[in-house]
């Protein structure tokens, strides 16, 4: 995740302008200039942050800083990943998604087999293994021919990147804000139940992540935009189906996987699964909105989720139970999904679509 932060919205801009028909050379030049500025700045920030972290983990500050330098090549990999996404060639991205965890696991097993006890080794080697897996992304991209005649100015590219970075920060904060606040407004027992429920309820979010990946470049290219509204509802329907199926088996699966002590988390999980349905729709619609050239608007639903969650959790009487926090989270997502639907309809009506109405 840190490599995406270090790239500061550049990958999303790369995917958008690649799909919309800007010249590859221009996109790459702007992208690598942006990353060469943003990534070192992010690394410098991590170096300053390394002091309290190294004290807490008993790891040398120099060693920690050496490990964190991986965010710079990681940002370059994120740009290349966005190029594949913008060209709508997802087989290589899926392969990297499989190879990355596999290579990192093999690195950890190798260190264990060698008897290593170095925290630095266990931090660095999996990072290197992950980057090795991502090296396949630097193979030539063989994609369908696109009419690349769209002019692109540096100001346009960096404006999109910076605004989309804000939307990404909003998405990250909204997704984890309730768990960040919960320790101060609830008990450790309720926090444990909520953590288990969140782990299960996030499984169908894979559908939303795939939707976001696929729909942004599809919306950015007028030739693939015709059926984008139907695509949003298809992914949303899959999210609903997956959540319903999971809700049916949660009362039996939870004690089997996590133990009988966590059986009480089942009702909380079911409430959170309702929120997951809204989240999948928000992810899909936000990707379309960003693909239609409005990355700032795409982040509005996430800001709403974060704001409603923060205000409600701090206002209600404490301590909050796990199911109360789940209701707050789901209600916030429901409100945000209504706003997201409004923004999506508005953008689709404004977007030109040659040959067919959206």
């Amino acid at each position: 995740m840190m490599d995406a932060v270090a790239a500061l919205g550049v990958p999303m801009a790369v995917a958008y302008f690649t799909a919309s028909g800007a010249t590859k050379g221009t996109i790459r030049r702007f992208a690598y200039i942006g990353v060469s500025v943003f990534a070192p700045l992010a690394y410098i920030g991590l170096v300053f942050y390394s002091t309290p972290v190294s004290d807490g983990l008993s790891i040398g500050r120099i060693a920690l800083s050496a490990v964190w330098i991986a965010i710079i090549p990681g940002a370059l990999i994120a740009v290349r990943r966005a190029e594949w996404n913008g060209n709508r060639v997802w087989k290589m991205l899926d392969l990297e998604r499989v190879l990355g965890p596999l290579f990192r696991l093999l690195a950890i097993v190798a260190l264990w087999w060698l008897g290593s006890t170095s925290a630095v080794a266990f931090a660095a080697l999996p990072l290197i293994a992950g980057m090795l897996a991502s090296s396949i992304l630097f193979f030539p991209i063989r994609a369908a021919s696109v009419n690349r005649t769209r002019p692109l100015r540096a100001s346009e590219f960096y404006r999109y990147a910076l605004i989309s970075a804000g939307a990404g920060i909003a998405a990250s904060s909204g997704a984890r804000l309730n768990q960040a606040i919960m320790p101060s407004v609830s008990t450790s027992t309720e926090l444990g139940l909520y953590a288990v429920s969140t782990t299960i309820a996030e499984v169908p979010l894979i559908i939303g992540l795939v939707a976001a990946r696929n729909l942004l470049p599809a919306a950015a290219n007028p030739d693939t935009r015709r059926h984008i509204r139907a695509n949003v509802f298809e992914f949303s329907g899959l999210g609903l189906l997956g959540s319903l199926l999971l809700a049916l088996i949660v009362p039996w699966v939870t004690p089997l996987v996590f133990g009988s002590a966590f059986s009480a988390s089942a009702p909380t999980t079911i409430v959170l699964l309702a929120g997951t349905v809204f989240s999948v729709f928000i992810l899909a619609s936000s990707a379309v909105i960003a693909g239609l050239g409005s990355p700032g608007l795409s982040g509005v639903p996430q800001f709403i989720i974060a704001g409603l969650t923060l205000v409600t959790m701090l206002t209600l009487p404490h301590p909050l139970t796990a199911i109360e926090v789940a209701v707050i989270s789901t209600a916030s997502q429901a409100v945000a999904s209504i706003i997201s639907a409004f923004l999506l309809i508005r953008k689709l009506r404004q977007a030109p679509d040659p040959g067919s109405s959206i």
Side-chain angles (χ1 to χ4, degrees), residues 19-282:
S20 61
T23 306
K24 290 182 181 180
T26 304
I27 296 172
R28 286 176 182 170
R29 183 171 69 254
F30 291 159
Y32 290 132
I33 290 174
V35 166
S36 67
V37 174
F38 299 145
L41 289 176
Y43 175 67
I44 291 171
L46 286 175
V47 169
F48 283 104
Y49 179 61
S50 66
T51 299
V53 174
S54 64
D55 292 340
L57 298 178
S58 300
I59 300 175
R61 183 180 178 185
I62 294 177
L64 197 58
S65 298
V67 170
W68 278 347
I69 202 171
I71 69 166
I72 295 177
L76 297 173
I77 291 170
V79 168
R80 186 61 176 174
R81 190 179 293 124
E83 284 192 73
W84 285 93
N85 190 24
N87 282 288
R88 305 179 76 236
V89 182
W90 295 308
K91 288 184 179 180
M92 188 66 78
L93 294 176
D94 293 336
L95 179 60
E96 186 224 5
R97 189 184 294 270
V98 172
L99 290 180
L102 177 61
F103 279 30
R104 286 190 289 271
L105 176 61
L106 291 175
I108 292 172
V109 170
L111 289 170
W112 170 80
W113 184 74
L114 293 171
S116 174
T117 58
S118 170
V120 175
F122 274 94
L125 194 59
L127 280 175
I128 295 171
M131 286 189 288
L132 180 62
S134 297
S135 65
I136 64 171
L137 298 177
F138 290 89
F139 290 161
I141 300 175
R142 296 180 180 178
S145 178
V146 177
N147 183 20
R148 300 197 171 277
T149 57
R150 173 178 176 170
L152 178 61
R153 300 185 305 273
S155 58
E156 184 183 8
F157 181 89
Y158 295 124
R159 179 178 178 274
Y160 190 100
L162 291 173
I163 294 175
S164 64
I169 292 170
S172 298
S173 61
R176 298 296 180 183
L177 186 60
N178 48 8
Q179 290 176 280
I181 299 174
M182 202 171 173
S184 63
V185 299
S186 187
T187 64
S188 58
T189 300
E190 296 297 324
L191 181 59
L193 293 174
Y194 192 81
V196 169
S197 296
T198 302
T199 301
I200 298 173
E202 286 183 344
V203 172
L205 274 180
I206 295 172
I207 298 169
L209 296 175
V210 172
R213 182 194 71 178
N214 292 12
L215 294 181
L216 188 151
N221 188 337
D223 294 334
T224 58
R225 196 187 295 158
R226 291 185 176 87
H227 307 294
I228 201 72
R229 180 182 294 176
N231 296 149
V232 170
F233 287 111
E234 286 171 2
F235 279 112
S236 300
L238 288 173
L240 173 62
L241 180 60
S243 297
L244 284 174
L245 291 175
L246 202 53
L248 291 175
I249 64 173
V250 155
W252 294 275
V253 170
T254 303
L256 286 175
V257 177
F258 297 98
S260 58
F262 290 98
S263 296
S265 68
T268 301
T269 305
I270 293 172
V271 173
L272 287 175
L273 282 168
T276 297
V277 176
F278 295 124
S279 289
V280 171
F281 173 75
I282 291 170

